[in-house]
């Protein structure tokens, strides 16, 4: 939705621009903006601080996510152990990772909504601008209601669940340890 709105806004701006000729609107070629172009534009317009816009909101989302995820995963995974001395089967780790990841994703979704709004580069015509986390949360609450904080929660949970399930299986079967063992050790 937001990307389509940005494309429409950019196309409308290109048509209204006095520097374009009469036939320019018909020959508008859609080009993709690269990450480097966005980075250069941010640095040019907002300086180095522009690269860190929304860092507080990102931390506000990621720290509570970890606080919910890791203990929940550990407890769910422990339920699958037949014996405290033996690791739970890999499928239990997978399911525990999926369930803990999706639960944590939904729990912190309000913070993700705030982060996304703060980090948006282009705003639609009727979209608000925000001065910070508190201002953003207040405007969302008053103009859209509390349910707006859970926009996209279902989709986010569907993406996060397999991601964290797979991550736990990779850890379970020892790929992470194998890779870490391949890194040369420093000798002091």
């Amino acid at each position: 939705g937001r990307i389509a709105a940005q494309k429409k806004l950019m196309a409308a701006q290109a048509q209204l621009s006095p520097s374009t000729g009469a036939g320019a609107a018909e020959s508008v070629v859609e080009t993709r903006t690269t990450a480097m172009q966005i980075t250069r534009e941010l640095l040019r317009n907002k300086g180095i601080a522009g690269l860190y816009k929304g860092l507080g909101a990102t931390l506000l989302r990621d720290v509570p996510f970890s606080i919910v995820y890791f203990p929940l995963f550990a407890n769910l995974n422990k339920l699958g152990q037949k014996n405290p001395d033996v690791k739970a089967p890999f499928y239990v780790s997978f399911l525990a990772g999926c369930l803990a990841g999706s639960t944590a994703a939904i729990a912190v979704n309000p913070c993700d909504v705030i982060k996304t709004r703060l980090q948006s580069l282009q705003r639609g015509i009727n979209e608000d601008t925000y001065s910070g986390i508190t201002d953003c949360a207040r405007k969302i609450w008053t103009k859209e209601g509390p349910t707006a904080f859970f926009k996209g929660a279902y989709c986010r949970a569907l993406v996060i669940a397999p991601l964290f399930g797979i991550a736990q299986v990779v850890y379970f079967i020892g790929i992470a340890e194998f890779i870490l063992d391949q890194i040369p050790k420093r000798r002091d």
Side-chain angles (χ1 to χ4, degrees):
R2 187 176 298 274
I3 293 173
Q6 288 175 353
K7 285 181 181 177
K8 286 180 186 175
L9 181 63
M10 289 173 24
Q13 288 172 343
Q15 289 176 349
L16 295 175
S17 176
S19 63
T20 59
E26 296 168 4
S27 64
V28 171
V29 177
E30 186 176 322
T31 59
R32 292 183 176 229
T33 305
T34 67
M36 285 305 295
Q37 289 170 325
I38 292 170
T39 304
R40 281 191 214 105
E41 182 181 335
L42 274 171
L43 285 170
R44 185 173 37 254
N45 295 334
K46 303 204 184 247
I48 195 76
L51 296 176
Y52 293 96
K53 184 177 182 180
L55 177 64
T58 300
L59 292 174
L60 185 68
R61 179 200 62 187
D62 290 351
V63 171
F65 180 92
S66 295
I67 290 170
V68 172
Y69 174 77
F70 287 107
L72 183 57
F73 169 76
N75 284 302
L76 291 172
N77 199 45
K78 195 182 292 183
L79 292 174
Q81 291 177 297
K82 292 183 173 106
N83 181 337
D85 299 330
V86 179
K87 289 196 311 188
F90 82 92
Y91 63 87
V92 171
S93 292
F94 175 75
L95 293 173
C98 288
L99 186 58
S102 59
T103 301
I106 291 170
V108 301
N109 202 74
C111 297
D112 192 53
V113 168
I114 292 168
K115 177 202 74 70
T116 302
R117 301 269 180 106
L118 287 172
Q119 290 179 331
S120 293
L121 293 176
Q122 298 279 336
R123 303 249 186 262
I125 295 169
N126 295 325
E127 286 188 303
D128 284 324
T129 56
Y130 309 106
S131 62
I133 294 170
T134 307
D135 180 55
C136 182
R138 185 178 39 79
K139 285 180 178 174
I140 292 170
W141 183 273
T142 56
K143 294 185 178 183
E144 300 176 54
T147 57
F149 288 105
F150 290 95
K151 285 182 177 178
Y154 179 72
C155 293
R156 189 162 185 263
L158 285 176
V159 169
I160 295 289
L163 177 71
F164 279 83
I166 292 167
Q168 290 303 331
V169 169
V170 166
Y171 179 77
F172 177 87
I173 60 177
I175 291 175
E177 286 89 353
F178 174 78
I179 292 170
L180 289 174
D181 286 342
Q182 301 307 308
I183 298 172
K185 307 278 189 280
R186 284 182 52 188
R187 294 184 185 186
D188 292 327

